[in-house]
Amino acid sequence: MKVASFTIAGTASYGIVTDKGVIDAGKRLKSYPTLKALLAKGALDELRKLAGENPDYALQDVALLPTIPDPDKIFCIGVNYATHLAESGHPTPAHPMIFTRFANSQVGHGQPMIRPLESERFDYEGEMAVIIGKAGRRISREAALSHVAGYACYNDGSIRDWQRHTSQFAPGKNFAGTGGFGPWMVTTDELTDIAKQTLITRLNGVEVQKAPISDLVFDVPALIAYCSTFTELVPGDVIVTGTTGGVGAYRTPPLWMKGGDVVEIEISGIGILRNPVKDEGSVAATRAA
């Protein structure tokens, strides 16, 4: 299934995305008002039962939200592809490099990613997000994939100068509206071997990143095992698995996103996350008008 969170006529909901439209699960499954609530109750099978129903809306009529709008935790993994390690000059780490994002730094498919007033160094990072479906602590590598609900595309948009103020990445990763998440979650029954998929990033239609998911330094089971050692993973948690080589910061000259650009993250078997880019000043002016 493709499962998305969205708003329609100002009301937030979630549902199944089909070729014919969107089936609104929020209004049918009253006990589970959000996708995170449904995952917390282990109720994906109840959602699957709705798959044959008639859609409520055309996809273009809903505003897609971040796939999980309200995650308890968002873990992002730094320099986790060999090509990105090489371009950045980092040695291969002994353990995953982890930083966190806040939910309010994210936007959904089709929503603008915002270049803040404080910087012109707004970089793209095409990534794959893992969405946790079952809680666990000290999860073994062998059991890790049984805790995954599905996968989504992610753009870990980075304000590079703020990221590098110190050795801690968080300031450069948490400006409002800088991360794209979506367009939906594809459940694991449709992606039984995520390592066989391919990640591509395009800026204004030009391919700037491409790599197979199998090139991850720390794969999905390793990341789940590691993160669940120091904290309990709960349904709706998100692990953003890292970006490959080709980021704008290491190009000559650097390639930064700016107002008017369009950035796409495509993962085979999942779909395309597409976001326009807007400068914060232009967003404020639009709202004032």
Side-chain angles (χ1 to χ4, degrees):
M1 289 184 297
K2 295 176 181 176
V3 188
S5 297
F6 60 87
T7 61
I8 181 77
T11 300
S13 191
Y14 69 99
I16 302 171
V17 179
T18 73
D19 293 340
K20 297 179 179 179
V22 181
I23 300 167
D24 190 337
K27 74 177 185 180
R28 289 172 169 82
L29 302 176
K30 300 294 188 181
S31 298
Y32 318 119
T34 66
L35 177 53
K36 186 174 82 169
L38 178 121
L39 294 176
K41 295 296 184 180
L44 270 177
D45 284 343
E46 291 190 42
L47 185 61
R48 288 188 179 96
K49 294 175 183 177
L50 304 178
E53 298 197 8
N54 291 325
D56 299 282
Y57 324 111
L59 181 58
Q60 63 266 26
D61 291 339
V62 304
L64 293 175
L65 296 169
T67 304
I68 305 290
D70 54 344
D72 185 65
K73 297 179 284 295
I74 307 167
F75 295 117
C76 298
I77 314 301
V79 287
N80 198 29
Y81 279 84
T83 50
H84 191 40
L85 282 167
E87 72 179 0
S88 64
H90 286 89
T92 301
H95 305 287
M97 181 187 295
I98 297 177
F99 56 92
T100 56
R101 262 194 181 267
F102 307 134
N104 69 353
S105 72
Q106 302 179 128
V107 297
H109 171 86
Q111 304 303 309
M113 293 174 63
I114 307 302
R115 183 175 73 166
L117 297 172
E118 289 77 10
S119 178
E120 295 183 351
R121 299 181 181 183
F122 189 19
D123 207 347
Y124 52 84
E125 288 195 17
E127 309 201 17
M128 180 188 71
V130 177
I131 298 162
I132 299 298
K134 183 173 71 173
R137 180 80 196 280
R138 299 186 178 94
I139 301 166
S140 70
R141 178 183 174 86
E142 292 71 25
L145 293 181
S146 69
H147 290 258
V148 178
Y151 305 95
C153 302
Y154 205 97
N155 190 341
D156 185 29
S158 304
I159 311 304
R160 292 298 189 195
D161 42 352
W162 280 73
Q163 177 186 340
R164 294 169 177 164
H165 281 176
T166 72
S167 61
Q168 304 300 314
F169 287 1
K173 301 287 189 171
N174 282 289
F175 277 81
T178 52
F181 184 16
W184 41 64
M185 174 183 82
V186 174
T187 52
T188 56
D189 56 314
E190 294 192 19
L191 289 169
T192 54
D193 189 352
I194 192 62
K196 292 183 177 179
Q197 307 308 315
T198 299
L199 167 72
I200 297 173
T201 303
R202 302 181 191 91
L203 185 62
N204 299 323
V206 177
E207 185 178 295
V208 289
Q209 293 183 293
K210 183 176 182 179
I213 302 298
S214 59
D215 278 356
L216 286 169
V217 176
F218 298 100
D219 63 9
V220 173
L223 295 175
I224 290 173
Y226 186 82
C227 290
S228 68
T229 301
F230 66 83
T231 189
E232 181 185 23
L233 294 178
V234 300
D237 282 354
V238 181
I239 300 176
V240 187
T241 53
T243 199
T244 186
V247 299
Y250 295 112
R251 292 175 175 266
T252 304
L255 179 60
W256 307 122
M257 296 189 294
K258 62 187 182 304
D261 287 347
V262 176
V263 59
E264 296 178 333
I265 314 300
E266 179 175 4
I267 301 176
S268 57
I270 298 177
I272 299 175
L273 168 67
R274 182 181 297 108
N275 297 95
V277 179
K278 289 190 176 181
D279 295 333
E280 186 175 9
S282 67
V283 174
T286 300
R287 289 173 179 166

